Amino acid sequence: MSTAAALPLTGLIPSKVLAELDLGGATLTTVSDGSLVLPGSFIFDPMPKDELAEVLSPYDVSMDRLTPECNLALYRDGTNTVLFDVGSGPDFMPTAGSVQDSLDALGLSASDITHVLFTHAHPDHIWGLLDEFDEPVFSDATYMMGRREWDYWWDDSTVDTIGEARAAFAVGAKRRMEMIEDQIEFIDDGDEVLPGIVAVETAGHTPGHMSFEIRNGSQAALIAGDAIGNHHVAFRKPEWLSGSDQDLDMAAATRTQLFDRIMADNLHLIGFHLPNGGIGRVERHEGAYLFVQE
Ligand SMILES: [Zn+2]
């Protein structure tokens, strides 16, 4: 049973804006950056295949190919216009990198963004700092990233230690981080980074992955980035290891703790790769969880 009917929607929602939530007078929207095309093995590899088939059976999804949405959260409180991550840009995948069109649909341009808060430095989250001419896109914004995340990708040895499959991630992240080196503000777990926005370290997917809890009045939401990544499996089997995570065990522990927090604090959940705009509620279901869209 969807809870969407109980939520006040704020105004007309253009087609590229997939979901919107009124948060104590502020507006939390997701804007599409397109989608990714991934081999199923990227996520499913470590999972028990016989049980996985049963977990996937309610969905029209193949074990061979996944096409997760990329939804950037946009928070507007009347003073700040905050974008969480910047998307893929033109250089990662042809199916992604369209966030500027989605901002256009809202009547916003890149220069209207006052703050960019990064969850982590994977390509689909940070490569959008550069456009097709290698020019900076959100150049008027203040950038914030977890100190641990920054240090990991900044380290010159990461390209050699991360493994061949992700070496390009390290090169691509460093190139873009060098561009914002003089503007970055480092944040740590528990910091109130902007009024009502608190950083929550959720390491595992990457070494310094950061989520953000936004609280305004009696309403609160968690921007979870990729800490809760694949909706087909993560809700039903949060403890399963996922191939998309860098530290598989730590990511599974983080995911389980996040679900506890979401339930205990009655948070809306915003996930970067969750379906249909990525805003929803979490409900308990058959000993695990269910993502209920709003
Ligand atoms: Zn991602």
PDB file of all heavy atoms in Angstrom, residues 246-264:
ATOM      1  N   GLN A 246      32.947  -1.937  -2.783  1.00  0.00           N
ATOM      2  CA  GLN A 246      34.401  -2.138  -2.738  1.00  0.00           C
ATOM      3  C   GLN A 246      34.804  -3.023  -1.562  1.00  0.00           C
ATOM      4  O   GLN A 246      35.586  -3.943  -1.711  1.00  0.00           O
ATOM      5  CB  GLN A 246      35.106  -0.786  -2.664  1.00  0.00           C
ATOM      6  CG  GLN A 246      36.607  -0.942  -2.848  1.00  0.00           C
ATOM      7  CD  GLN A 246      37.269   0.377  -3.162  1.00  0.00           C
ATOM      8  OE1 GLN A 246      36.649   1.274  -3.726  1.00  0.00           O
ATOM      9  NE2 GLN A 246      38.514   0.507  -2.783  1.00  0.00           N
ATOM     10  N   ASP A 247      34.277  -2.732  -0.365  1.00  0.00           N
ATOM     11  CA  ASP A 247      34.488  -3.611   0.788  1.00  0.00           C
ATOM     12  C   ASP A 247      33.151  -4.309   1.040  1.00  0.00           C
ATOM     13  O   ASP A 247      32.238  -3.744   1.654  1.00  0.00           O
ATOM     14  CB  ASP A 247      34.931  -2.798   2.003  1.00  0.00           C
ATOM     15  CG  ASP A 247      35.256  -3.686   3.211  1.00  0.00           C
ATOM     16  OD1 ASP A 247      34.575  -4.729   3.379  1.00  0.00           O
ATOM     17  OD2 ASP A 247      36.164  -3.332   3.975  1.00  0.00           O
ATOM     18  N   LEU A 248      33.037  -5.531   0.555  1.00  0.00           N
ATOM     19  CA  LEU A 248      31.736  -6.211   0.510  1.00  0.00           C
ATOM     20  C   LEU A 248      31.140  -6.417   1.899  1.00  0.00           C
ATOM     21  O   LEU A 248      29.951  -6.179   2.107  1.00  0.00           O
ATOM     22  CB  LEU A 248      31.866  -7.560  -0.213  1.00  0.00           C
ATOM     23  CG  LEU A 248      31.948  -7.506  -1.744  1.00  0.00           C
ATOM     24  CD1 LEU A 248      33.202  -6.830  -2.244  1.00  0.00           C
ATOM     25  CD2 LEU A 248      31.814  -8.899  -2.347  1.00  0.00           C
ATOM     26  N   ASP A 249      31.978  -6.854   2.846  1.00  0.00           N
ATOM     27  CA  ASP A 249      31.472  -7.133   4.196  1.00  0.00           C
ATOM     28  C   ASP A 249      31.069  -5.848   4.909  1.00  0.00           C
ATOM     29  O   ASP A 249      30.020  -5.780   5.554  1.00  0.00           O
ATOM     30  CB  ASP A 249      32.537  -7.880   5.016  1.00  0.00           C
ATOM     31  CG  ASP A 249      32.782  -9.278   4.471  1.00  0.00           C
ATOM     32  OD1 ASP A 249      31.822 -10.074   4.438  1.00  0.00           O
ATOM     33  OD2 ASP A 249      33.918  -9.574   4.058  1.00  0.00           O
ATOM     34  N   MET A 250      31.922  -4.836   4.797  1.00  0.00           N
ATOM     35  CA  MET A 250      31.612  -3.569   5.466  1.00  0.00           C
ATOM     36  C   MET A 250      30.338  -2.959   4.885  1.00  0.00           C
ATOM     37  O   MET A 250      29.481  -2.432   5.609  1.00  0.00           O
ATOM     38  CB  MET A 250      32.781  -2.579   5.319  1.00  0.00           C
ATOM     39  CG  MET A 250      32.615  -1.321   6.158  1.00  0.00           C
ATOM     40  SD  MET A 250      33.808  -0.036   5.725  1.00  0.00           S
ATOM     41  CE  MET A 250      35.309  -0.760   6.314  1.00  0.00           C
ATOM     42  N   ALA A 251      30.180  -3.058   3.567  1.00  0.00           N
ATOM     43  CA  ALA A 251      29.001  -2.477   2.920  1.00  0.00           C
ATOM     44  C   ALA A 251      27.725  -3.184   3.382  1.00  0.00           C
ATOM     45  O   ALA A 251      26.691  -2.542   3.594  1.00  0.00           O
ATOM     46  CB  ALA A 251      29.140  -2.570   1.399  1.00  0.00           C
ATOM     47  N   ALA A 252      27.797  -4.512   3.544  1.00  0.00           N
ATOM     48  CA  ALA A 252      26.611  -5.258   3.997  1.00  0.00           C
ATOM     49  C   ALA A 252      26.251  -4.861   5.430  1.00  0.00           C
ATOM     50  O   ALA A 252      25.072  -4.688   5.769  1.00  0.00           O
ATOM     51  CB  ALA A 252      26.869  -6.754   3.893  1.00  0.00           C
ATOM     52  N   ALA A 253      27.272  -4.690   6.284  1.00  0.00           N
ATOM     53  CA  ALA A 253      27.019  -4.275   7.673  1.00  0.00           C
ATOM     54  C   ALA A 253      26.421  -2.871   7.695  1.00  0.00           C
ATOM     55  O   ALA A 253      25.470  -2.586   8.439  1.00  0.00           O
ATOM     56  CB  ALA A 253      28.314  -4.327   8.474  1.00  0.00           C
ATOM     57  N   THR A 254      26.958  -1.988   6.871  1.00  0.00           N
ATOM     58  CA  THR A 254      26.453  -0.612   6.786  1.00  0.00           C
ATOM     59  C   THR A 254      24.996  -0.590   6.329  1.00  0.00           C
ATOM     60  O   THR A 254      24.166   0.136   6.878  1.00  0.00           O
ATOM     61  CB  THR A 254      27.321   0.198   5.804  1.00  0.00           C
ATOM     62  OG1 THR A 254      28.625   0.344   6.366  1.00  0.00           O
ATOM     63  CG2 THR A 254      26.733   1.568   5.529  1.00  0.00           C
ATOM     64  N   ARG A 255      24.696  -1.409   5.328  1.00  0.00           N
ATOM     65  CA  ARG A 255      23.335  -1.471   4.771  1.00  0.00           C
ATOM     66  C   ARG A 255      22.340  -1.906   5.857  1.00  0.00           C
ATOM     67  O   ARG A 255      21.268  -1.310   6.008  1.00  0.00           O
ATOM     68  CB  ARG A 255      23.346  -2.460   3.606  1.00  0.00           C
ATOM     69  CG  ARG A 255      22.206  -2.346   2.648  1.00  0.00           C
ATOM     70  CD  ARG A 255      22.563  -2.911   1.274  1.00  0.00           C
ATOM     71  NE  ARG A 255      23.250  -4.187   1.302  1.00  0.00           N
ATOM     72  CZ  ARG A 255      24.457  -4.403   0.755  1.00  0.00           C
ATOM     73  NH1 ARG A 255      25.097  -3.441   0.141  1.00  0.00           N
ATOM     74  NH2 ARG A 255      25.023  -5.599   0.810  1.00  0.00           N
ATOM     75  N   THR A 256      22.719  -2.925   6.607  1.00  0.00           N
ATOM     76  CA  THR A 256      21.847  -3.435   7.661  1.00  0.00           C
ATOM     77  C   THR A 256      21.601  -2.362   8.721  1.00  0.00           C
ATOM     78  O   THR A 256      20.475  -2.147   9.163  1.00  0.00           O
ATOM     79  CB  THR A 256      22.507  -4.679   8.298  1.00  0.00           C
ATOM     80  OG1 THR A 256      22.830  -5.593   7.240  1.00  0.00           O
ATOM     81  CG2 THR A 256      21.580  -5.373   9.262  1.00  0.00           C
ATOM     82  N   GLN A 257      22.682  -1.644   9.111  1.00  0.00           N
ATOM     83  CA  GLN A 257      22.540  -0.570  10.109  1.00  0.00           C
ATOM     84  C   GLN A 257      21.665   0.563   9.580  1.00  0.00           C
ATOM     85  O   GLN A 257      20.883   1.157  10.320  1.00  0.00           O
ATOM     86  CB  GLN A 257      23.910  -0.004  10.473  1.00  0.00           C
ATOM     87  CG  GLN A 257      24.747  -0.930  11.347  1.00  0.00           C
ATOM     88  CD  GLN A 257      26.220  -0.532  11.364  1.00  0.00           C
ATOM     89  OE1 GLN A 257      26.590   0.565  10.938  1.00  0.00           O
ATOM     90  NE2 GLN A 257      27.067  -1.436  11.839  1.00  0.00           N
ATOM     91  N   LEU A 258      21.813   0.857   8.290  1.00  0.00           N
ATOM     92  CA  LEU A 258      21.019   1.947   7.709  1.00  0.00           C
ATOM     93  C   LEU A 258      19.533   1.616   7.737  1.00  0.00           C
ATOM     94  O   LEU A 258      18.704   2.482   8.031  1.00  0.00           O
ATOM     95  CB  LEU A 258      21.439   2.200   6.261  1.00  0.00           C
ATOM     96  CG  LEU A 258      22.460   3.294   6.002  1.00  0.00           C
ATOM     97  CD1 LEU A 258      22.580   3.534   4.507  1.00  0.00           C
ATOM     98  CD2 LEU A 258      22.106   4.602   6.716  1.00  0.00           C
ATOM     99  N   PHE A 259      19.196   0.360   7.435  1.00  0.00           N
ATOM    100  CA  PHE A 259      17.778  -0.023   7.489  1.00  0.00           C
ATOM    101  C   PHE A 259      17.231   0.138   8.910  1.00  0.00           C
ATOM    102  O   PHE A 259      16.113   0.610   9.099  1.00  0.00           O
ATOM    103  CB  PHE A 259      17.583  -1.458   6.998  1.00  0.00           C
ATOM    104  CG  PHE A 259      17.548  -1.573   5.495  1.00  0.00           C
ATOM    105  CD1 PHE A 259      18.433  -2.397   4.810  1.00  0.00           C
ATOM    106  CD2 PHE A 259      16.615  -0.858   4.750  1.00  0.00           C
ATOM    107  CE1 PHE A 259      18.396  -2.499   3.423  1.00  0.00           C
ATOM    108  CE2 PHE A 259      16.570  -0.960   3.366  1.00  0.00           C
ATOM    109  CZ  PHE A 259      17.466  -1.783   2.702  1.00  0.00           C
ATOM    110  N   ASP A 260      18.044  -0.240   9.910  1.00  0.00           N
ATOM    111  CA  ASP A 260      17.618  -0.054  11.305  1.00  0.00           C
ATOM    112  C   ASP A 260      17.345   1.426  11.579  1.00  0.00           C
ATOM    113  O   ASP A 260      16.348   1.777  12.214  1.00  0.00           O
ATOM    114  CB  ASP A 260      18.722  -0.538  12.271  1.00  0.00           C
ATOM    115  CG  ASP A 260      18.846  -2.054  12.276  1.00  0.00           C
ATOM    116  OD1 ASP A 260      17.920  -2.731  11.793  1.00  0.00           O
ATOM    117  OD2 ASP A 260      19.883  -2.558  12.768  1.00  0.00           O
ATOM    118  N   ARG A 261      18.242   2.279  11.113  1.00  0.00           N
ATOM    119  CA  ARG A 261      18.101   3.715  11.356  1.00  0.00           C
ATOM    120  C   ARG A 261      16.870   4.287  10.644  1.00  0.00           C
ATOM    121  O   ARG A 261      16.122   5.091  11.202  1.00  0.00           O
ATOM    122  CB  ARG A 261      19.372   4.413  10.846  1.00  0.00           C
ATOM    123  CG  ARG A 261      19.395   5.905  11.076  1.00  0.00           C
ATOM    124  CD  ARG A 261      20.693   6.500  10.538  1.00  0.00           C
ATOM    125  NE  ARG A 261      20.799   7.916  10.870  1.00  0.00           N
ATOM    126  CZ  ARG A 261      21.883   8.481  11.389  1.00  0.00           C
ATOM    127  NH1 ARG A 261      22.955   7.760  11.634  1.00  0.00           N
ATOM    128  NH2 ARG A 261      21.915   9.771  11.640  1.00  0.00           N
ATOM    129  N   ILE A 262      16.668   3.860   9.404  1.00  0.00           N
ATOM    130  CA  ILE A 262      15.525   4.340   8.624  1.00  0.00           C
ATOM    131  C   ILE A 262      14.217   3.969   9.320  1.00  0.00           C
ATOM    132  O   ILE A 262      13.294   4.785   9.418  1.00  0.00           O
ATOM    133  CB  ILE A 262      15.573   3.746   7.198  1.00  0.00           C
ATOM    134  CG1 ILE A 262      16.716   4.384   6.404  1.00  0.00           C
ATOM    135  CG2 ILE A 262      14.247   3.943   6.472  1.00  0.00           C
ATOM    136  CD1 ILE A 262      17.095   3.625   5.146  1.00  0.00           C
ATOM    137  N   MET A 263      14.155   2.734   9.825  1.00  0.00           N
ATOM    138  CA  MET A 263      12.925   2.286  10.484  1.00  0.00           C
ATOM    139  C   MET A 263      12.744   3.000  11.822  1.00  0.00           C
ATOM    140  O   MET A 263      11.656   3.458  12.146  1.00  0.00           O
ATOM    141  CB  MET A 263      12.971   0.767  10.717  1.00  0.00           C
ATOM    142  CG  MET A 263      13.103  -0.080   9.461  1.00  0.00           C
ATOM    143  SD  MET A 263      11.900   0.278   8.167  1.00  0.00           S
ATOM    144  CE  MET A 263      10.387  -0.291   8.937  1.00  0.00           C
ATOM    145  N   ALA A 264      13.840   3.093  12.610  1.00  0.00           N
ATOM    146  CA  ALA A 264      13.741   3.679  13.953  1.00  0.00           C
ATOM    147  C   ALA A 264      13.361   5.155  13.890  1.00  0.00           C
ATOM    148  O   ALA A 264      12.592   5.647  14.716  1.00  0.00           O
ATOM    149  CB  ALA A 264      15.064   3.503  14.696  1.00  0.00           C
TER     150      ALA A 264
END
